[in-house]
PDB file of all heavy atoms in Angstrom:
ATOM      1  N   THR A 397      14.373  19.881  93.269  1.00  0.00           N
ATOM      2  CA  THR A 397      15.446  19.402  92.404  1.00  0.00           C
ATOM      3  C   THR A 397      15.737  17.915  92.620  1.00  0.00           C
ATOM      4  O   THR A 397      15.455  17.359  93.678  1.00  0.00           O
ATOM      5  CB  THR A 397      16.749  20.186  92.669  1.00  0.00           C
ATOM      6  OG1 THR A 397      17.025  20.088  94.067  1.00  0.00           O
ATOM      7  CG2 THR A 397      16.609  21.635  92.264  1.00  0.00           C
ATOM      8  N   ILE A 398      16.337  17.307  91.582  1.00  0.00           N
ATOM      9  CA  ILE A 398      16.687  15.880  91.654  1.00  0.00           C
ATOM     10  C   ILE A 398      18.090  15.775  92.264  1.00  0.00           C
ATOM     11  O   ILE A 398      19.097  15.637  91.572  1.00  0.00           O
ATOM     12  CB  ILE A 398      16.643  15.228  90.244  1.00  0.00           C
ATOM     13  CG1 ILE A 398      15.351  15.568  89.523  1.00  0.00           C
ATOM     14  CG2 ILE A 398      16.853  13.722  90.319  1.00  0.00           C
ATOM     15  CD1 ILE A 398      14.072  15.196  90.264  1.00  0.00           C
ATOM     16  N   GLU A 399      18.123  15.853  93.571  1.00  0.00           N
ATOM     17  CA  GLU A 399      19.384  15.761  94.308  1.00  0.00           C
ATOM     18  C   GLU A 399      19.170  14.910  95.555  1.00  0.00           C
ATOM     19  O   GLU A 399      18.247  15.192  96.327  1.00  0.00           O
ATOM     20  CB  GLU A 399      19.853  17.151  94.748  1.00  0.00           C
ATOM     21  CG  GLU A 399      20.654  17.883  93.690  1.00  0.00           C
ATOM     22  CD  GLU A 399      20.948  19.320  94.115  1.00  0.00           C
ATOM     23  OE1 GLU A 399      20.026  19.998  94.607  1.00  0.00           O
ATOM     24  OE2 GLU A 399      22.096  19.745  93.945  1.00  0.00           O
ATOM     25  N   GLY A 400      20.016  13.891  95.717  1.00  0.00           N
ATOM     26  CA  GLY A 400      19.877  13.025  96.881  1.00  0.00           C
ATOM     27  C   GLY A 400      20.514  13.645  98.109  1.00  0.00           C
ATOM     28  O   GLY A 400      20.924  14.807  98.093  1.00  0.00           O
ATOM     29  N   GLY A 401      20.574  12.879  99.186  1.00  0.00           N
ATOM     30  CA  GLY A 401      21.198  13.371 100.422  1.00  0.00           C
ATOM     31  C   GLY A 401      20.530  12.719 101.614  1.00  0.00           C
ATOM     32  O   GLY A 401      19.435  12.153 101.486  1.00  0.00           O
ATOM     33  N   ALA A 402      21.208  12.820 102.766  1.00  0.00           N
ATOM     34  CA  ALA A 402      20.715  12.150 103.975  1.00  0.00           C
ATOM     35  C   ALA A 402      19.318  12.620 104.365  1.00  0.00           C
ATOM     36  O   ALA A 402      18.525  11.863 104.915  1.00  0.00           O
ATOM     37  CB  ALA A 402      21.692  12.385 105.119  1.00  0.00           C
ATOM     38  N   ASP A 403      18.994  13.894 104.046  1.00  0.00           N
ATOM     39  CA  ASP A 403      17.666  14.413 104.417  1.00  0.00           C
ATOM     40  C   ASP A 403      16.613  14.087 103.356  1.00  0.00           C
ATOM     41  O   ASP A 403      15.464  14.503 103.477  1.00  0.00           O
ATOM     42  CB  ASP A 403      17.749  15.935 104.632  1.00  0.00           C
ATOM     43  CG  ASP A 403      18.281  16.657 103.390  1.00  0.00           C
ATOM     44  OD1 ASP A 403      19.003  16.025 102.592  1.00  0.00           O
ATOM     45  OD2 ASP A 403      17.942  17.845 103.203  1.00  0.00           O
ATOM     46  N   LYS A 404      17.011  13.364 102.298  1.00  0.00           N
ATOM     47  CA  LYS A 404      16.058  13.019 101.234  1.00  0.00           C
ATOM     48  C   LYS A 404      16.125  11.520 100.921  1.00  0.00           C
ATOM     49  O   LYS A 404      16.542  11.112  99.827  1.00  0.00           O
ATOM     50  CB  LYS A 404      16.379  13.816  99.979  1.00  0.00           C
ATOM     51  CG  LYS A 404      16.120  15.292 100.132  1.00  0.00           C
ATOM     52  CD  LYS A 404      16.328  15.975  98.815  1.00  0.00           C
ATOM     53  CE  LYS A 404      16.009  17.450  98.951  1.00  0.00           C
ATOM     54  NZ  LYS A 404      16.311  18.163  97.722  1.00  0.00           N
ATOM     55  N   PRO A 405      15.753  10.681 101.890  1.00  0.00           N
ATOM     56  CA  PRO A 405      15.923   9.233 101.695  1.00  0.00           C
ATOM     57  C   PRO A 405      15.099   8.658 100.542  1.00  0.00           C
ATOM     58  O   PRO A 405      15.549   7.749  99.838  1.00  0.00           O
ATOM     59  CB  PRO A 405      15.479   8.642 103.037  1.00  0.00           C
ATOM     60  CG  PRO A 405      14.633   9.690 103.680  1.00  0.00           C
ATOM     61  CD  PRO A 405      15.161  11.008 103.200  1.00  0.00           C
ATOM     62  N   ALA A 406      13.897   9.222 100.314  1.00  0.00           N
ATOM     63  CA  ALA A 406      13.030   8.666  99.267  1.00  0.00           C
ATOM     64  C   ALA A 406      13.627   8.939  97.883  1.00  0.00           C
ATOM     65  O   ALA A 406      13.753   8.034  97.043  1.00  0.00           O
ATOM     66  CB  ALA A 406      11.638   9.272  99.375  1.00  0.00           C
ATOM     67  N   LEU A 407      14.030  10.183  97.669  1.00  0.00           N
ATOM     68  CA  LEU A 407      14.601  10.553  96.379  1.00  0.00           C
ATOM     69  C   LEU A 407      15.937   9.837  96.162  1.00  0.00           C
ATOM     70  O   LEU A 407      16.229   9.349  95.063  1.00  0.00           O
ATOM     71  CB  LEU A 407      14.781  12.080  96.331  1.00  0.00           C
ATOM     72  CG  LEU A 407      15.224  12.662  95.007  1.00  0.00           C
ATOM     73  CD1 LEU A 407      14.271  12.300  93.876  1.00  0.00           C
ATOM     74  CD2 LEU A 407      15.336  14.186  95.104  1.00  0.00           C
ATOM     75  N   THR A 408      16.731   9.756  97.219  1.00  0.00           N
ATOM     76  CA  THR A 408      18.027   9.069  97.116  1.00  0.00           C
ATOM     77  C   THR A 408      17.817   7.629  96.655  1.00  0.00           C
ATOM     78  O   THR A 408      18.556   7.119  95.806  1.00  0.00           O
ATOM     79  CB  THR A 408      18.738   9.083  98.497  1.00  0.00           C
ATOM     80  OG1 THR A 408      18.844  10.431  98.931  1.00  0.00           O
ATOM     81  CG2 THR A 408      20.119   8.462  98.417  1.00  0.00           C
ATOM     82  N   ASN A 409      16.788   6.989  97.192  1.00  0.00           N
ATOM     83  CA  ASN A 409      16.501   5.600  96.808  1.00  0.00           C
ATOM     84  C   ASN A 409      16.146   5.495  95.317  1.00  0.00           C
ATOM     85  O   ASN A 409      16.662   4.633  94.600  1.00  0.00           O
ATOM     86  CB  ASN A 409      15.339   5.089  97.674  1.00  0.00           C
ATOM     87  CG  ASN A 409      15.104   3.608  97.521  1.00  0.00           C
ATOM     88  OD1 ASN A 409      16.050   2.826  97.426  1.00  0.00           O
ATOM     89  ND2 ASN A 409      13.834   3.215  97.479  1.00  0.00           N
ATOM     90  N   LEU A 410      15.308   6.427  94.842  1.00  0.00           N
ATOM     91  CA  LEU A 410      14.907   6.383  93.429  1.00  0.00           C
ATOM     92  C   LEU A 410      16.109   6.675  92.523  1.00  0.00           C
ATOM     93  O   LEU A 410      16.269   6.069  91.464  1.00  0.00           O
ATOM     94  CB  LEU A 410      13.769   7.380  93.162  1.00  0.00           C
ATOM     95  CG  LEU A 410      12.455   7.130  93.929  1.00  0.00           C
ATOM     96  CD1 LEU A 410      11.403   8.173  93.546  1.00  0.00           C
ATOM     97  CD2 LEU A 410      11.913   5.733  93.670  1.00  0.00           C
TER      98      LEU A 410
END
Side-chain angles (χ1 to χ4, degrees):
T397 54
I398 311 304
E399 274 173 315
D403 57 335
K404 292 186 178 175
L407 186 57
T408 304
N409 189 39
L410 298 181

